[in-house]
mmCIF file of all heavy atoms in Angstrom:
data_model
loop_
_atom_site.group_PDB
_atom_site.id
_atom_site.type_symbol
_atom_site.label_atom_id
_atom_site.label_comp_id
_atom_site.label_asym_id
_atom_site.label_seq_id
_atom_site.Cartn_x
_atom_site.Cartn_y
_atom_site.Cartn_z
ATOM 1 N N SER A 37 -19.453 -14.930 6.440
ATOM 2 C CA SER A 37 -20.331 -14.524 5.335
ATOM 3 C C SER A 37 -19.529 -13.867 4.210
ATOM 4 O O SER A 37 -18.591 -13.109 4.462
ATOM 5 C CB SER A 37 -21.393 -13.537 5.824
ATOM 6 O OG SER A 37 -22.235 -14.135 6.776
ATOM 7 N N VAL A 39 -21.100 -11.942 1.824
ATOM 8 C CA VAL A 39 -21.752 -10.643 1.617
ATOM 9 C C VAL A 39 -22.535 -10.306 2.876
ATOM 10 O O VAL A 39 -22.662 -11.121 3.775
ATOM 11 C CB VAL A 39 -22.715 -10.665 0.403
ATOM 12 C CG1 VAL A 39 -21.950 -10.852 -0.898
ATOM 13 C CG2 VAL A 39 -23.779 -11.747 0.564
ATOM 14 N N GLY A 40 -23.064 -9.075 2.914
ATOM 15 C CA GLY A 40 -23.930 -8.712 4.031
ATOM 16 C C GLY A 40 -23.268 -7.890 5.110
ATOM 17 O O GLY A 40 -23.754 -7.817 6.233
ATOM 18 N N TYR A 41 -22.159 -7.199 4.773
ATOM 19 C CA TYR A 41 -21.488 -6.422 5.821
ATOM 20 C C TYR A 41 -22.369 -5.290 6.354
ATOM 21 O O TYR A 41 -22.247 -4.910 7.518
ATOM 22 C CB TYR A 41 -20.126 -5.885 5.348
ATOM 23 C CG TYR A 41 -20.149 -5.050 4.091
ATOM 24 C CD1 TYR A 41 -20.540 -3.714 4.127
ATOM 25 C CD2 TYR A 41 -19.767 -5.587 2.874
ATOM 26 C CE1 TYR A 41 -20.555 -2.939 2.983
ATOM 27 C CE2 TYR A 41 -19.776 -4.821 1.713
ATOM 28 C CZ TYR A 41 -20.180 -3.499 1.770
ATOM 29 O OH TYR A 41 -20.210 -2.733 0.630
ATOM 30 N N GLU A 43 -25.673 -5.435 6.877
ATOM 31 C CA GLU A 43 -26.550 -6.059 7.870
ATOM 32 C C GLU A 43 -25.762 -6.442 9.121
ATOM 33 O O GLU A 43 -26.275 -6.363 10.241
ATOM 34 C CB GLU A 43 -27.228 -7.302 7.275
ATOM 35 C CG GLU A 43 -28.239 -6.990 6.178
ATOM 36 C CD GLU A 43 -27.631 -6.950 4.777
ATOM 37 O OE1 GLU A 43 -26.393 -6.769 4.658
ATOM 38 O OE2 GLU A 43 -28.383 -7.091 3.796
ATOM 39 N N ILE A 44 -24.507 -6.851 8.929
ATOM 40 C CA ILE A 44 -23.676 -7.236 10.066
ATOM 41 C C ILE A 44 -23.350 -6.028 10.946
ATOM 42 O O ILE A 44 -23.508 -6.088 12.171
ATOM 43 C CB ILE A 44 -22.391 -7.942 9.577
ATOM 44 C CG1 ILE A 44 -22.753 -9.332 9.022
ATOM 45 C CG2 ILE A 44 -21.354 -8.056 10.692
ATOM 46 C CD1 ILE A 44 -21.646 -9.995 8.232
ATOM 47 N N GLU A 73 -30.304 -3.007 9.747
ATOM 48 C CA GLU A 73 -31.066 -3.878 10.648
ATOM 49 C C GLU A 73 -31.403 -3.182 11.971
ATOM 50 O O GLU A 73 -32.137 -3.718 12.789
ATOM 51 C CB GLU A 73 -30.292 -5.172 10.907
ATOM 52 C CG GLU A 73 -30.226 -6.086 9.694
ATOM 53 C CD GLU A 73 -31.610 -6.525 9.218
ATOM 54 O OE1 GLU A 73 -32.453 -6.870 10.058
ATOM 55 O OE2 GLU A 73 -31.845 -6.512 7.997
ATOM 56 N N LYS A 186 -33.493 -7.458 14.913
ATOM 57 C CA LYS A 186 -33.176 -7.020 13.553
ATOM 58 C C LYS A 186 -34.476 -6.628 12.852
ATOM 59 O O LYS A 186 -35.502 -7.292 12.997
ATOM 60 C CB LYS A 186 -32.485 -8.155 12.800
ATOM 61 C CG LYS A 186 -31.118 -8.494 13.374
ATOM 62 C CD LYS A 186 -30.567 -9.777 12.785
ATOM 63 C CE LYS A 186 -30.156 -9.576 11.333
ATOM 64 N NZ LYS A 186 -29.569 -10.832 10.775
ATOM 65 N N GLY A 276 -23.109 -17.287 7.189
ATOM 66 C CA GLY A 276 -24.294 -17.659 6.427
ATOM 67 C C GLY A 276 -24.206 -19.048 5.841
ATOM 68 O O GLY A 276 -24.857 -19.332 4.834
ATOM 69 N N SER A 292 -28.184 -18.892 8.600
ATOM 70 C CA SER A 292 -27.488 -17.676 9.001
ATOM 71 C C SER A 292 -27.420 -17.640 10.524
ATOM 72 O O SER A 292 -28.447 -17.803 11.192
ATOM 73 C CB SER A 292 -28.260 -16.466 8.472
ATOM 74 O OG SER A 292 -27.669 -15.270 8.895
ATOM 75 N N SER A 340 -32.959 -14.267 7.638
ATOM 76 C CA SER A 340 -31.954 -14.313 6.571
ATOM 77 C C SER A 340 -31.506 -12.941 6.076
ATOM 78 O O SER A 340 -31.595 -12.642 4.894
ATOM 79 C CB SER A 340 -32.498 -15.120 5.386
ATOM 80 O OG SER A 340 -33.036 -16.343 5.814
ATOM 81 N N ALA A 341 -30.995 -12.120 6.964
ATOM 82 C CA ALA A 341 -30.509 -10.800 6.550
ATOM 83 C C ALA A 341 -29.197 -10.486 7.263
ATOM 84 O O ALA A 341 -29.224 -9.921 8.340
ATOM 85 C CB ALA A 341 -31.561 -9.725 6.867
ATOM 86 N N PRO A 342 -28.058 -10.841 6.691
ATOM 87 C CA PRO A 342 -27.915 -11.538 5.405
ATOM 88 C C PRO A 342 -27.992 -13.043 5.599
ATOM 89 O O PRO A 342 -27.984 -13.517 6.730
ATOM 90 C CB PRO A 342 -26.498 -11.146 4.984
ATOM 91 C CG PRO A 342 -25.748 -11.090 6.292
ATOM 92 C CD PRO A 342 -26.751 -10.538 7.294
ATOM 93 N N GLY A 343 -28.006 -13.769 4.474
ATOM 94 C CA GLY A 343 -27.925 -15.215 4.579
ATOM 95 C C GLY A 343 -28.824 -15.961 3.637
ATOM 96 O O GLY A 343 -29.658 -15.361 2.954
ATOM 97 N N PRO A 344 -28.678 -17.295 3.603
ATOM 98 C CA PRO A 344 -29.528 -18.140 2.770
ATOM 99 C C PRO A 344 -30.958 -18.134 3.296
ATOM 100 O O PRO A 344 -31.189 -17.859 4.472
ATOM 101 C CB PRO A 344 -28.899 -19.526 2.913
ATOM 102 C CG PRO A 344 -28.162 -19.467 4.217
ATOM 103 C CD PRO A 344 -27.696 -18.057 4.377
#
Side-chain angles (χ1 to χ4, degrees):
S37 297
V39 294
Y41 56 79
E43 292 90 339
I44 289 167
E73 290 300 317
K186 294 169 71 178
S292 177
S340 311

